[in-house]
Amino acid sequence: MRVLKFAILGLLDQRDLTGYDITKHFKDTLGQFWSAKHSQIYPELKRLTEEGFIQFDVHIHGKKLEKKVYQITDAGKAELDEWLRTKSPIPETTKDEFMLKTFFISSMDKKDAVELFTHQLLERTKKVDMLEHKLKVLTEEDPSVQLLHSVQFGHFLVLTRAIEREKGYVLWLQKTLHFINQ
Ligand code: FER
């Protein structure tokens, strides 16, 4: 399935954007949980335009600089809506090399195991801090972000889920270090 297609339609349903804006969204937000090759974005924009799901206006900046500002069409909204309503299966658990090492922990020295787990604990804690900072900025920018129809409500949800998950991971790492050290 062309999931990138729906990611672009979803973004354009929030506001009109240039190809550059869309790439930036992938870099800053969407790409954190749905990675896309940036080189795929422009071909997808072209294809969506040909299919009539999006259209663009050319905005002129200065004498030469032209940029296409894309917007979603009614057909594009219908396409997005159909996809949003399709139920998703639970994805396979993502491959995590650290989990594989954990599975084989009985082959490790205590000192090495403590080092490995302590490192992971530090990294995961940093990730929680980073995600919580993003959530703080998001909430400060829009105090009504927790409402269903606020444009950033979805961003709020994916961030809070990621924070819960990472905090759970940190707790488990702390418990594991406790087991190893006893
Ligand atoms: C963000 C939105 C979601 C973000 C990260 C996520 C770092 C999710 C990450 C994850 O599930 O690991 O803006 O910024």
Side-chain angles (χ1 to χ4, degrees):
M1 216 221 302
R2 282 158 65 199
V3 181
L4 178 61
K5 161 184 165 179
F6 298 107
I8 291 173
L9 289 177
L11 286 173
L12 292 175
D13 198 38
Q14 296 181 339
R15 61 164 75 166
D16 299 351
L17 296 166
T18 64
Y20 170 80
D21 297 329
I22 291 170
T23 307
K24 195 165 173 347
H25 271 287
F26 268 96
K27 202 165 146 272
D28 297 344
T29 312
L30 284 188
Q32 303 290 326
F33 58 93
W34 192 274
S35 59
K37 291 201 195 85
H38 291 184
S39 61
Q40 285 304 307
I41 293 173
Y42 285 90
E44 190 59 48
L45 284 168
K46 185 166 179 284
R47 194 165 160 190
L48 285 166
T49 306
E50 286 161 6
E51 290 168 332
F53 296 138
I54 63 175
Q55 59 194 25
F56 60 81
D57 282 331
V58 176
H59 288 214
I60 314 283
H61 280 253
K63 274 193 179 144
K64 279 204 177 130
L65 198 66
E66 289 187 356
K67 58 179 190 176
K68 292 176 182 167
V69 179
Y70 290 92
Q71 62 183 77
I72 194 166
T73 62
D74 287 344
K77 276 186 203 273
E79 191 77 0
L80 175 67
D81 194 53
E82 194 189 321
W83 174 73
L84 286 170
R85 286 186 292 110
T86 311
K87 316 281 188 294
S88 306
I90 298 178
E92 269 179 51
T93 303
T94 47
K95 284 190 192 169
D96 181 340
E97 197 176 333
F98 178 70
M99 278 300 122
L100 196 57
K101 289 177 183 166
T102 300
F103 192 78
F104 296 118
I105 194 168
S106 58
S107 301
M108 291 184 87
D109 293 342
K110 179 171 173 173
K111 178 179 153 288
D112 289 337
V114 167
E115 248 184 63
L116 196 67
F117 273 76
T118 303
H119 174 257
Q120 192 75 192
L121 179 61
L122 286 175
E123 292 302 306
R124 292 274 168 186
T125 305
K126 272 191 239 162
K127 191 163 176 183
V128 171
D129 291 346
M130 181 272 287
L131 291 167
E132 284 191 322
H133 175 73
K134 269 199 108 160
L135 182 64
K136 183 165 171 278
V137 172
L138 193 72
T139 313
E140 280 168 1
E141 279 172 2
D142 177 8
S144 63
V145 72
Q146 301 188 23
L147 301 176
L148 172 60
H149 290 294
S150 120
V151 174
Q152 295 278 33
F153 182 54
H155 192 176
F156 169 80
L157 290 182
V158 294
L159 264 176
T160 49
R161 195 204 58 115
I163 291 167
E164 293 293 318
R165 188 193 63 230
E166 294 304 323
K167 279 186 170 172
Y169 211 131
V170 164
L171 268 179
W172 171 79
L173 287 164
Q174 288 166 336
K175 278 187 208 158
T176 305
L177 275 165
H178 184 74
F179 287 137
I180 298 171
N181 279 315
Q182 74 190 347

